[in-house]
Amino acid sequence: MSQTRPSSIREIATKLGVSTATVSNALRGTGRVSSALAAQIRVEADRLGYVPDHAARALRTGKSNTIGLLVPNIGQPLFPAFAQAVERAAKRRGLAVLIGDSQGDPQQQDFEIRTMIARGVDALIVIPTRGTTIAPADVPVPVAVIDSAATVGNIAASDHREGGRLIAHHLLEIGHDRLLILAGPENSLVACERVEGMREVFRHAGVEPALRYSDATFEAGSALGRELDLRHFTACAAAYDALAIGFAIAVKDRGCSIPEDMSLTGFDDLMWAQIVSPPLTTVRQDLETVANHALAFVAGETDTSRIFPTELVLRQSTARPSAFAKGGRHAE
Amino acid sequence: MSQTRPSSIREIATKLGVSTATVSNALRGTGRVSSALAAQIRVEADRLGYVPDHAARALRTGKSNTIGLLVPNIGQPLFPAFAQAVERAAKRRGLAVLIGDSQGDPQQQDFEIRTMIARGVDALIVIPTRGTTIAPADVPVPVAVIDSAATVGNIAASDHREGGRLIAHHLLEIGHDRLLILAGPENSLVACERVEGMREVFRHAGVEPALRYSDATFEAGSALGRELDLRHFTACAAAYDALAIGFAIAVKDRGCSIPEDMSLTGFDDLMWAQIVSPPLTTVRQDLETVANHALAFVAGETDTSRIFPTELVLRQSTARPSAFAKGGRHAE
DNA sequence: CTGTTAGCGCGTTCAG
DNA sequence: CTGAACGCGCTAACAG
């Protein structure tokens, strides 16, 4: 389909009657090459459309300028956003990103890690799946784990616990005291942090919320919204937007309207959160900053683990409990 | 961070007192190696945790077993789904996927293509951005363009036009005759195909729908939903789910309820389509099949361009027009 | 200072 | 089954 095959450093060298070493040095600004000659070389390289062979360079230097990013499930809307943030941060450093999807399966995760290592990635950024732990010692390249402050080996994460506190404070502040927490998967440290943050604050206020565990999916939220007895609660705090959104749709079908009959909060500020009706009060992570720190770590620019602040996003899914709702007799 | 550095083919060779060529042959099943020796070699390789150096292999063979996937904007929910489909298809063939995001910018797209070539991808799959054209001749590797039947050089695509027809037939069938089409970007061939499919059918039925162009975003749909005079229409067909969803939220705020006052359709069957209220009647693409054909093409398994069928997904956003709505006097 | 020589890295491949 | 060249860019050691 094309003619543009070769064009190597040797071609430039012979064409200009110099050595390949000089060409290599000129093109990369290393060693000593007179600027006049260097300029000539660059011009010739351009003219020939020379592009260094990546494999050859990688072979010699042992660096592929590629990092692997492992996400638990690219189908869940938070992770494409993460991937984008990582790609932007990587591009700034001249790195390419190989994306792998563990599809929620720890074995698949191991497989992906091995594959990526075999492909010569210089570093890995891993968002672990289902509470697994990656021992960076098992892996011959730097690994940045992005999960939660509670995750062993975590390098960068949002402050999920603080996010939970923000939600809880907000709900208390507007007068809620009978609470349901959709806690997400029991084995997820991220979910656990979020929930613990909420509970801390509630407990401190003498409120003991009810807890329900489930998957972090829309469907699980929807199922809970259909099954639970809503009369006991004035507000529901979900550990994930998807959960909250599924819940919202389901309870709406039962005649429970948000926020009049019940306030509802999510977590993550997915694009959906502003789209659903009513728009969801939630917590936003600063993915860009988290991604950037993870990259700085694997690039060796820092060796500290960092937790980044989150932000409460107030929308229309939360309101003061109505006297009616407080009476515990809303539509059922 | 680790000890597991080397372990090369040579190490195995000396350890077993054979040549590297033999090891290479044994490990890949090529050439003639006695099966006894081959077994021994495999055992030793295992024991040493040998993994072939990807760069060295790529250098020698000229194949990196990596393909590049270029999407217009990974932030738009259809493209992660696409990326997933491509990754699955690639994995079946033992290929890794390098993802690039042109961010809606043709220049960025060119840059990404060059970068990927320089990285030695064996092939490219490109979903073009904003009506651009990629001349495969410019690129020294096979390129599969995924866009629409109307795109020059298109290799795999859904039958967007037929999808448009399905929508239009459905709307006619349930009795709509005053139609608004949210046509998406004027320069998108995909959008154009979808809209033309609809218009064909409407025209044939003597119906001339109104057309509005805009971005393919939620926000654009929302803006249109706020501005347009709804009284003229009994149904609205959007060329993208995002557009439809934005529109739905906006018109709901104006007291227009779907589908009672106005039917609404989308296109793509994003995950959102079933989440919004009411769930959206839309058209589903078979991404898996499209991705698979694109991979088969770049793998040289086929040299034909193919267009794949789409499927109408009926949900609750469409209904027969009410007499009231037909009278053109619904809430405004 | 400027430039060259030569060998390396590692799996593959082909004539022996 | 072996020996040795090969692909291509990098980089010490060396020479002008």
Side-chain angles (χ1 to χ4, degrees):
Chain A
M1 314 249 147
S2 172
Q3 292 27 292
T4 329
R5 303 102 174 186
S7 153
S8 72
I9 210 174
R10 269 167 255 270
E11 194 180 335
I12 303 175
T14 54
K15 201 145 287 185
L16 260 54
V18 299
S19 76
T20 62
T22 301
V23 176
S24 175
N25 283 324
L27 256 24
R28 293 175 314 130
T30 61
R32 28 294 108 142
V33 183
S34 74
S35 53
L37 180 52
Q40 253 185 76
I41 292 177
R42 273 190 296 267
V43 169
E44 187 63 15
D46 260 31
R47 214 175 58 69
L48 268 54
Y50 167 76
V51 179
D53 181 301
H54 188 255
R57 180 175 281 178
L59 175 58
R60 186 64 236 242
T61 62
K63 301 274 104 202
S64 63
N65 290 319
T66 303
I67 66 163
L69 170 64
L70 208 51
V71 298
N73 181 349
I74 197 98
Q76 284 172 21
L78 181 63
F79 299 117
F82 235 123
Q84 252 189 127
V86 169
E87 288 207 352
R88 271 193 293 268
K91 187 173 295 177
R92 280 198 292 275
R93 290 173 163 81
L95 303 169
V97 181
L98 220 42
I99 295 188
D101 185 344
S102 25
Q103 295 176 161
D105 175 3
Q107 274 192 289
Q108 182 66 21
Q109 178 177 276
D110 286 354
F111 173 81
E112 290 285 344
I113 291 179
R114 273 199 302 280
T115 305
M116 289 188 167
I117 298 299
R119 283 189 176 269
V121 298
D122 296 337
L124 281 174
I125 295 183
V126 180
I127 307 178
T129 197
R130 314 233 85 187
T132 51
T133 304
I134 290 93
D138 295 351
V139 177
V141 299
V143 178
V145 173
I146 300 182
D147 197 42
S148 79
T151 307
V152 281
N154 184 76
I155 293 304
S158 295
D159 194 340
H160 300 285
R161 187 176 285 253
E162 176 65 15
R165 291 194 202 102
L166 293 173
I167 288 285
H169 272 131
H170 167 61
L171 289 172
L172 286 175
E173 200 168 81
I174 60 177
H176 293 277
D177 56 1
R178 297 188 320 194
L179 284 129
L180 170 63
I181 295 182
L182 306 185
E186 219 161 343
N187 62 1
S188 158
L189 290 166
V190 167
C192 186
E193 285 285 286
R194 293 176 177 186
V195 172
E196 279 313 307
M198 298 178 193
R199 295 179 75 187
E200 259 176 41
V201 171
F202 287 134
R203 204 176 295 129
H204 195 259
V207 173
E208 192 57 48
L211 244 69
R212 300 300 299 250
Y213 294 97
S214 72
D215 282 350
T217 59
F218 170 78
E219 288 77 11
S222 185
L224 289 167
R226 279 191 303 270
E227 294 163 11
L228 294 179
D229 186 346
L230 305 174
R231 287 169 303 180
H232 304 283
F233 309 109
T234 63
C236 170
Y240 294 89
D241 280 353
L243 219 41
I245 294 171
F247 187 82
I249 308 279
V251 300
K252 191 178 296 177
D253 284 351
R254 292 171 68 186
C256 168
S257 70
I258 294 169
E260 291 77 10
D261 299 325
M262 182 184 252
S263 284
L264 176 66
T265 65
F267 213 118
D268 279 338
D269 196 24
L270 302 184
M271 199 188 300
W272 307 1
Q274 42 186 315
I275 291 179
V276 290
S277 169
L280 201 59
T281 292
T282 186
V283 169
R284 179 185 302 147
Q285 310 188 44
D286 185 350
L287 301 183
E288 209 74 33
T289 307
V290 172
N292 208 49
H293 181 70
L295 250 93
F297 176 84
V298 296
E301 293 162 20
T302 172
D303 58 359
T304 61
S305 162
R306 288 189 59 189
I307 303 299
F308 296 93
T310 56
E311 180 191 353
L312 183 66
V313 180
L314 294 176
R315 296 210 182 85
Q316 284 80 63
S317 71
T318 48
R320 310 194 79 83
S322 68
F324 184 58
K326 282 211 122 174
R329 297 180 291 114
H330 64 71
E332 175 63 6
Chain B
M1 315 254 148
S2 172
Q3 288 32 287
T4 329
R5 303 102 172 188
S7 154
S8 70
I9 210 173
R10 269 165 254 270
E11 195 180 336
I12 302 175
T14 55
K15 201 147 288 185
L16 259 56
V18 298
S19 78
T20 60
T22 302
V23 176
S24 176
N25 283 325
L27 257 24
R28 293 175 313 133
T30 60
R32 324 117 264 253
V33 184
S34 76
S35 53
L37 180 51
Q40 252 187 74
I41 290 177
R42 273 189 296 267
V43 169
E44 186 64 14
D46 260 32
R47 216 176 54 69
L48 267 53
Y50 167 75
V51 178
D53 182 300
H54 187 254
R57 179 175 282 179
L59 175 58
R60 186 62 236 231
T61 63
K63 301 274 104 203
S64 63
N65 291 320
T66 304
I67 65 162
L69 169 65
L70 208 49
V71 298
N73 182 350
I74 197 101
Q76 285 172 21
L78 180 63
F79 298 117
F82 235 124
Q84 253 188 128
V86 169
E87 288 206 352
R88 271 194 293 267
K91 187 174 292 176
R92 280 198 293 275
R93 290 173 162 81
L95 303 169
V97 181
L98 219 42
I99 296 188
D101 185 344
S102 25
Q103 295 176 159
D105 175 5
Q107 274 192 288
Q108 181 68 20
Q109 177 176 276
D110 287 354
F111 173 81
E112 290 286 343
I113 291 180
R114 274 198 303 279
T115 305
M116 290 190 166
I117 298 299
R119 283 188 177 269
V121 297
D122 296 336
L124 281 174
I125 294 182
V126 181
I127 308 177
T129 196
R130 312 235 85 188
T132 50
T133 305
I134 290 92
D138 296 351
V139 177
V141 299
V143 179
V145 173
I146 300 181
D147 197 43
S148 80
T151 306
V152 281
N154 185 76
I155 294 303
S158 295
D159 194 339
H160 299 286
R161 186 177 287 252
E162 176 63 16
R165 291 193 201 104
L166 293 173
I167 287 284
H169 273 129
H170 168 61
L171 290 173
L172 286 175
E173 198 168 82
I174 60 178
H176 293 277
D177 56 2
R178 296 188 320 190
L179 285 129
L180 170 64
I181 296 181
L182 305 184
E186 218 161 344
N187 62 0
S188 158
L189 288 167
V190 168
C192 186
E193 284 287 286
R194 294 176 177 184
V195 172
E196 279 313 306
M198 298 179 195
R199 294 179 77 186
E200 258 175 43
V201 172
F202 287 134
R203 205 175 294 130
H204 195 261
V207 172
E208 191 57 48
L211 246 69
R212 298 304 297 249
Y213 294 98
S214 72
D215 283 349
T217 59
F218 170 78
E219 289 78 11
S222 185
L224 289 167
R226 279 191 304 272
E227 294 164 11
L228 294 179
D229 187 345
L230 306 175
R231 286 168 304 181
H232 304 285
F233 309 108
T234 62
C236 169
Y240 294 90
D241 280 353
L243 219 39
I245 295 171
F247 186 81
I249 308 278
V251 300
K252 192 178 295 178
D253 284 350
R254 292 171 68 185
C256 168
S257 70
I258 294 170
E260 292 78 8
D261 298 326
M262 181 183 255
S263 284
L264 176 66
T265 65
F267 212 117
D268 279 338
D269 197 24
L270 301 184
M271 199 188 302
W272 306 3
Q274 42 186 313
I275 292 179
V276 289
S277 170
L280 202 59
T281 291
T282 185
V283 170
R284 181 184 301 146
Q285 310 189 43
D286 185 349
L287 302 183
E288 209 74 34
T289 306
V290 172
N292 209 49
H293 180 69
L295 249 94
F297 177 84
V298 296
E301 294 162 19
T302 171
D303 58 358
T304 61
S305 162
R306 286 189 59 192
I307 303 300
F308 297 93
T310 56
E311 180 190 354
L312 183 66
V313 181
L314 293 177
R315 296 212 182 83
Q316 286 78 62
S317 70
T318 48
R320 309 195 79 82
S322 67
F324 185 58
K326 283 211 123 179
R329 297 180 292 112
H330 64 69
E332 175 65 4

